[in-house]
Amino acid sequence: MKSYDHKKIEKKWQKKWEEKKLYKTSEKTDKPKFYALVEFPFPSGDGLHVGHVRPYIALDAIARKRRVEGFNVLYPMGWDAFGLPTENYAIKTGKQPAFVTKQNTGNFRKQIKNLGASFDWSREVNTTDPEYYKWTQWIFLKMFEKGLAYKSKMNINWCPKDKIGLANEEVVDGKCERCGTAVEKRDKDQWMLAITKYADRLDKDLDTVDFLEKIKIQQRNWIGRSEGAEIDFQIKDSSEKITVFTTRADTLYGVTYIVLAPEHRLIAELPIENKKEVEDYIKKSKDKTEIDRTDATKEKTGVEVKGVVAINPATGEEIPIWIADYVLVNYGTGAVMAVPAHDERDFKFAKKYDLEIRDVIMPSVVDHVNPPRSDKSSKVRKNAHAIVYDPNQDKYLIIRNSKFGWDTVVIGGIEENESAEQAAVREVIEETGYTNLKFIKTLGGPVQASYFAKHKDENRVAITTAAYFELIGNDRTEIAAGEEETNEILWVSPQEFVVGKMVNSELKFWLERMSSEYFPPYTGDGIVINSGEFDGLTANEAKGKITNEFGRKVVKYKLKDWVFSRQRYWGEPIPMINCNDCGWVPVPEKDLPVVLPKVKHYEPTDNGESPLSTISKWVNVQCPKCKGDAERETDTMPNWAGSSWYYLRYIDPKNKKSFADKNKLDKWTPVDWYNGGMEHTTLHLLYSRFWHKFLYDIGEVPTIEPYAKRTSHGLILAEGGEKMSKSKGNVVNPDDLVKIYGADSLRVFEMFMGPFDQPVAWSSDSVVGSRRFVERVWKLAEKLDKKIKTPSDVEILLNQSIKKVSEDIEKMSFNTAISTLMILLNRLEKEESVNNKVYETVLQLLAPFAPHVTEELWSQIGHKSSVHKANWPSYDASKLVSDTIKIAIQVNGKVRAELEVSREATQKDVIELTRALPAVDKWIAGRVIKKEIYVPGRLVSIVVDGN
């Protein structure tokens, strides 16, 4: 057999597949459809690196498996070629973006084809093709027609390096997502898309799709749905009112001040006494990004608005008004009601500016050691807990109940007209006799605990306040009669106090409050207190009742409308015309596409306007409506536009009458399996789902969601564990590896190197292992024998491998699928001869990962048709488990042999076979057998005299 020449083999089969159009999707078949989709790439000048191709190979394996399972597979590829990546590369090289795009897509296409990916290249799309972006513009016009596209002056994120406006989603840690430059704020007229009108559907419809849970979480976090209440706070002696949005209406009685965003409209209208101070603060806040303003780790600042106060609608109290930059005008209502006792941010602000803190929610716990019993009555009681610490011995005072075996702090009821401190002192003296106590502090507001009191045989609902003391002397008085009989007085270490047998379920609150300079705010649910008629309700019960009494129920979203304008050249022209008389007028559909004009200079301008604004012949046009003088919109669309609907164009890429034929859309949507990077599961996925839902609403697509299933892959990192980057010189080009090791070896390695959904560091040296594996599969063909009988254990391993590989591909556990094939190969190599049918199955299982070598070997063993058309192998369930078992044989406690027997073998049979084994006979011959023990299915133990 000839040696394995990967260059010759891969070139041969890539040419044949293309000639035979093996992977072209048919529109004339009754087979069930399967639409597999990978995110199409930005064709940068650097070309693909080994990290880019990981998802292409993975989905290729799935697509290949689906084809041989009887599906009509659509697996397309195209180019997301508009936008900053291409334009920045063009500026860097001094070449035209259109030329760069053509050059780069040609290189990418060649690289991908060299990998043997089974894309249907007849459906290739390019977002920069006027025949493609004609329909991107058409969709925009439909959105404008329905009121979803509008122009508005916005305080936008501006990247001074890229000279472009950025959506909030494109700002990471206050910096431009692409270049890392600190973002500035600018007021600018921008085209907006009203994605917020779809916020509720974008959230709820996630329940209908098979997305990874972490993807759904990312989507929902960005949408940020919040159910809450709007409550009005009247400004004293004014007709104006401040409307706040809150998700915690149950804390209304705890509001001690109001905070407005610096941009709030009321700031300019209120009779503010310290106007200069307020104006200076507002000016400073404008220089901060939203990220900086809302960063929880940064100290909050603010200024009181003097001369005006608001009225708490629940209490009628006058409360101060502040402005603070941590409140954003475009989130909620631009105003918040501050409840410092129950909000971390408000608490820190109140502490800094010495504002009132009022508890209105009491924590509530249930004792899980002694929970309330349903057959017992309950009694409510106000308690005091005494936390007594002796600094001299670094120990805490506890009482151990000998009858019930529990440890507890000193507990007692609070009598009428008695404070918690007084009650605690009284109980310590009565129960322990210690009299020299120094009061340190009360440990915050009360905590409610529900439990079954065994000593009283009743349920207790204890509303407890804790007082903290230090012991300053060992003087003791006689304790109350009867206390010594059941209670043992002990001093325990801090460790034992915290994790010992303490039964006080409130203790976690006391410990937290003891260790903090300030009692931390309680942000959980509980029981309402200090809230008038609502006292005693649970927080959830109070939310509804207080909302009904003082406000109104609303739903808010963190999601904001999509900033759609870009002041750059390389993008789809926005098909709108501005007329002084008619306002914004859409370009007539018959005039689409509005083609991006060729220009000599496409660099971004210093004034922040698009380079297109300088082309007067292109800008100055006739108004389509009144025929008067007008100007084109010179902003372009973001690259998100073309990528929001590309999967639909793949379905019918040559259609000139619509973006896709409706019958074909009915057939192919939704996408069955979409895989992409986790970095795109928030923005791109959200935008794409929005566009699809809009197209569904206007009757252009048949499904509510674009993608039935969405998965994601982990990054391939550079060898040092860093992200691959040309600037760091750590990028690995797949072309080099294909030349040295072959595409199949690279494909196998990329799937084998680690779990697909996890990041993994690259190692070029390790590719040789996958190359050796492919070579061993090649060499195994020398052992083929059609007549040889396959050993039963090989039959079992083969069937197990079919099952395992089939399941692992579906789970995207490609690394374990490859390891399963390696185990199978190891076993087959031990045989002198291998049955042809067994080898064929090996080739079929390997074919999705190594398509070239398996095709060549399939042909060499006599097949005329492609291995990529052969039916996927099925396993025999009856041959997944062996009919025989292996039993260890011990003589005098030491394993001396192993016996393979039928599962049905009796004890007598097993013992007889054991004695006949030469490896056993030499240990028992001539000796008296004292005992023979058979543990079914596991062990034979023989005990003989002597050693």
Side-chain angles (χ1 to χ4, degrees), residues 523-754:
T523 59
D525 292 331
I527 305 300
V528 173
I529 57 174
N530 301 323
S531 298
E533 64 185 281
F534 304 100
D535 282 0
L537 296 176
T538 66
N540 280 331
E541 291 170 338
K543 280 181 186 177
K545 292 182 180 295
I546 291 176
T547 298
N548 291 338
E549 183 73 21
F550 301 109
R552 52 205 170 269
K553 292 180 181 179
V554 294
V555 176
K556 295 282 186 179
Y557 298 91
K558 178 183 173 184
L559 180 69
K560 301 304 172 190
D561 280 352
W562 177 3
V563 180
F564 199 67
S565 295
R566 296 293 184 271
Q567 294 73 40
R568 297 290 291 245
Y569 168 70
W570 195 238
E572 301 93 334
I574 294 175
M576 298 295 295
I577 293 172
N578 192 14
C579 173
N580 288 331
D581 295 326
C582 305
W584 285 105
V585 180
V587 171
E589 287 185 22
K590 66 180 180 62
D591 293 335
L592 297 181
V594 176
V595 177
L596 188 67
K598 294 181 179 179
V599 296
K600 288 184 178 180
H601 301 288
Y602 49 83
E603 296 82 2
T605 62
D606 291 327
N607 64 6
E609 296 300 323
S610 165
L612 295 175
S613 64
T614 63
I615 310 173
S616 57
K617 288 184 179 180
W618 186 80
V619 172
N620 298 317
V621 293
Q622 189 180 70
C623 173
K625 193 172 182 180
C626 71
K627 309 305 179 185
D629 292 341
E631 294 182 347
R632 289 190 188 278
E633 173 58 77
T634 58
D635 285 355
T636 55
M637 299 184 192
N639 63 287
W640 304 106
S643 66
S644 290
W645 72 280
Y646 72 109
Y647 60 96
L648 296 172
R649 189 61 174 175
Y650 281 143
I651 291 171
D652 195 11
K654 303 298 191 294
N655 196 319
K656 295 184 179 297
K657 295 182 179 179
S658 64
F659 64 80
D661 179 81
K662 289 194 174 183
N663 290 328
K664 292 181 180 179
L665 290 168
D666 286 340
K667 177 179 179 178
W668 287 107
T669 58
V671 173
D672 294 283
W673 196 329
Y674 187 20
N675 186 84
M678 279 302 294
E679 69 273 19
H680 295 143
T681 53
T682 300
L683 309 182
H684 158 65
L685 196 60
L686 196 66
Y687 293 157
S688 186
R689 293 178 62 225
F690 162 48
W691 277 44
H692 190 92
K693 288 179 182 298
F694 168 72
L695 291 172
Y696 174 80
D697 288 348
I698 64 173
E700 294 295 331
V701 295
T703 62
I704 295 173
E705 285 284 335
Y707 316 114
K709 181 173 184 173
R710 168 74 189 208
T711 53
S712 292
H713 57 275
L715 293 175
I716 290 183
L717 305 172
E719 298 205 18
E722 295 181 306
K723 190 173 181 179
M724 285 194 181
S725 167
K726 186 177 180 182
S727 62
K728 295 179 181 179
N730 59 10
V731 171
V732 179
N733 190 327
D735 296 357
D736 300 331
L737 297 165
V738 169
K739 289 176 183 176
I740 299 169
Y741 300 107
D744 286 336
S745 298
L746 176 61
R747 287 172 62 110
V748 168
F749 178 68
E750 292 234 3
M751 295 298 94
F752 179 62
M753 63 188 299

Side-chain angles (χ1 to χ4, degrees), residues 790-932:
T790 303
S792 60
D793 71 307
V794 173
E795 284 275 4
I796 291 163
L797 183 58
L798 183 66
N799 280 274
Q800 290 173 338
S801 299
I802 295 170
K803 184 175 187 293
K804 177 74 171 148
V805 172
S806 300
E807 292 173 351
D808 282 352
I809 290 176
E810 296 305 315
K811 294 187 296 184
M812 303 190 99
S813 298
F814 304 112
N815 57 323
T816 54
I818 299 294
S819 65
T820 297
L821 291 172
M822 290 178 174
I823 292 168
L824 177 59
L825 179 62
N826 289 343
R827 176 63 187 86
L828 293 176
E829 285 177 328
K830 294 177 182 178
E831 295 295 307
E832 291 185 8
S833 299
V834 175
N835 186 280
N836 285 45
K837 292 295 182 183
V838 172
Y839 188 63
E840 288 176 0
T841 301
V842 172
L843 295 180
Q844 288 176 278
L845 294 175
L846 182 59
F849 306 106
H852 308 89
V853 68
T854 52
E855 187 79 292
E856 176 67 19
L857 290 166
W858 189 259
S859 173
Q860 286 187 17
I861 60 177
H863 290 281
K864 301 299 182 184
S865 62
S866 171
V867 69
H868 305 299
K869 287 187 173 182
N871 292 333
W872 184 252
S874 59
Y875 61 87
D876 184 344
S878 68
K879 293 183 179 179
L880 292 176
V881 180
S882 175
D883 290 331
T884 62
I885 51 175
K886 290 182 179 180
I887 296 173
I889 311 300
Q890 288 183 350
V891 179
N892 287 355
K894 294 183 179 180
V895 175
R896 300 300 185 182
E898 189 176 71
L899 176 67
E900 185 170 340
V901 297
S902 167
R903 287 182 177 274
E904 308 302 322
T906 65
Q907 179 171 334
K908 181 182 177 182
D909 293 336
V910 172
I911 295 296
E912 287 181 358
L913 289 168
T914 298
R915 288 180 178 179
L917 289 173
V920 175
D921 182 63
K922 76 174 186 175
W923 293 103
I924 65 174
R927 298 183 181 183
V928 176
I929 296 176
K930 294 182 176 181
K931 191 183 296 184
E932 291 176 318

Side-chain angles (χ1 to χ4, degrees), residues 264-272 275 282:
H264 198 286
R265 67 167 186 85
L266 283 176
I267 301 298
E269 301 173 18
L270 295 173
I272 301 172
K275 202 169 188 66
I282 293 172

Side-chain angles (χ1 to χ4, degrees), residues 256-257 299-304 319-320 322 338 340-341 345-358 518:
T256 57
Y257 61 99
E299 186 178 11
K300 301 296 178 281
T301 63
V303 172
E304 184 177 2
I319 55 177
W322 287 67
R345 182 186 59 185
D346 297 342
F347 174 81
K348 290 179 180 177
F349 194 88
K351 279 294 178 183
K352 180 175 181 177
Y353 294 106
D354 196 25
L355 299 168
E356 182 187 356
I357 299 173
R358 183 186 303 166
Y518 303 113

Side-chain angles (χ1 to χ4, degrees), residues 46 94 121 137 187 205 208 284-285 403 433 521 568 722 791 881:
D46 301 331
W121 289 101
Q137 293 174 339
D187 288 329
D205 288 350
T208 69
K284 289 180 180 178
S285 69
K403 182 178 180 180
R568 297 290 291 245
E722 295 181 306
V881 180

Side-chain angles (χ1 to χ4, degrees), residues 358-597:
R358 183 186 303 166
D359 288 309
V360 291
I361 302 294
M362 175 173 58
S364 179
V365 293
V366 174
D367 190 329
H368 295 293
V369 178
N370 298 299
R373 286 174 48 174
S374 60
D375 61 331
K376 298 294 180 179
S377 60
S378 294
K379 184 176 181 179
V380 179
R381 163 170 131 143
K382 287 188 176 181
N383 278 351
H385 280 182
I387 312 296
V388 182
Y389 173 68
D390 183 356
N392 290 324
Q393 58 177 330
D394 188 25
K395 290 187 176 181
Y396 287 91
L397 177 66
I398 69 166
I399 292 175
R400 177 165 292 165
N401 186 292
S402 58
K403 182 178 180 180
F404 296 101
W406 63 45
D407 294 349
T408 176
V409 298
V410 175
I411 301 175
I414 301 176
E415 297 177 358
E416 193 173 350
N417 299 321
E418 190 177 39
S419 68
E421 176 192 346
Q422 292 168 333
V425 170
R426 174 175 51 75
E427 289 293 337
V428 171
I429 294 172
E430 289 179 2
E431 296 192 12
T432 71
Y434 288 103
T435 56
N436 290 349
L437 301 175
K438 178 184 177 183
F439 175 69
I440 304 300
K441 60 183 176 181
T442 300
L443 298 179
V447 174
Q448 177 176 291
S450 302
Y451 59 95
F452 175 64
K454 293 180 181 179
H455 62 303
K456 300 292 185 180
D457 195 35
E458 66 182 9
N459 293 327
R460 287 282 178 87
V461 178
I463 299 174
T464 304
T465 304
Y468 181 38
F469 303 90
E470 284 186 1
L471 188 72
I472 56 176
N474 291 318
D475 295 343
R476 296 179 68 183
T477 187
E478 187 176 342
I479 64 175
E483 291 289 345
E484 288 184 338
E485 296 177 8
T486 57
N487 295 333
E488 181 182 0
I489 301 166
L490 300 172
W491 289 91
V492 298
S493 68
Q495 293 77 17
E496 191 175 354
F497 185 63
V498 172
V499 298
K501 298 188 293 182
M502 304 296 291
V503 295
N504 311 107
S505 47
E506 307 95 327
L507 187 61
K508 62 180 181 181
F509 294 101
W510 311 147
L511 293 170
E512 184 181 32
R513 294 172 184 181
M514 284 165 58
S515 63
S516 175
E517 180 182 356
Y518 303 113
F519 302 142
Y522 177 67
T523 59
D525 292 331
I527 305 300
V528 173
I529 57 174
N530 301 323
S531 298
E533 64 185 281
F534 304 100
D535 282 0
L537 296 176
T538 66
N540 280 331
E541 291 170 338
K543 280 181 186 177
K545 292 182 180 295
I546 291 176
T547 298
N548 291 338
E549 183 73 21
F550 301 109
R552 52 205 170 269
K553 292 180 181 179
V554 294
V555 176
K556 295 282 186 179
Y557 298 91
K558 178 183 173 184
L559 180 69
K560 301 304 172 190
D561 280 352
W562 177 3
V563 180
F564 199 67
S565 295
R566 296 293 184 271
Q567 294 73 40
R568 297 290 291 245
Y569 168 70
W570 195 238
E572 301 93 334
I574 294 175
M576 298 295 295
I577 293 172
N578 192 14
C579 173
N580 288 331
D581 295 326
C582 305
W584 285 105
V585 180
V587 171
E589 287 185 22
K590 66 180 180 62
D591 293 335
L592 297 181
V594 176
V595 177
L596 188 67

Side-chain angles (χ1 to χ4, degrees), residues 1 170 333 608 663:
M1 186 175 183
E170 296 171 300
T333 62
N663 290 328

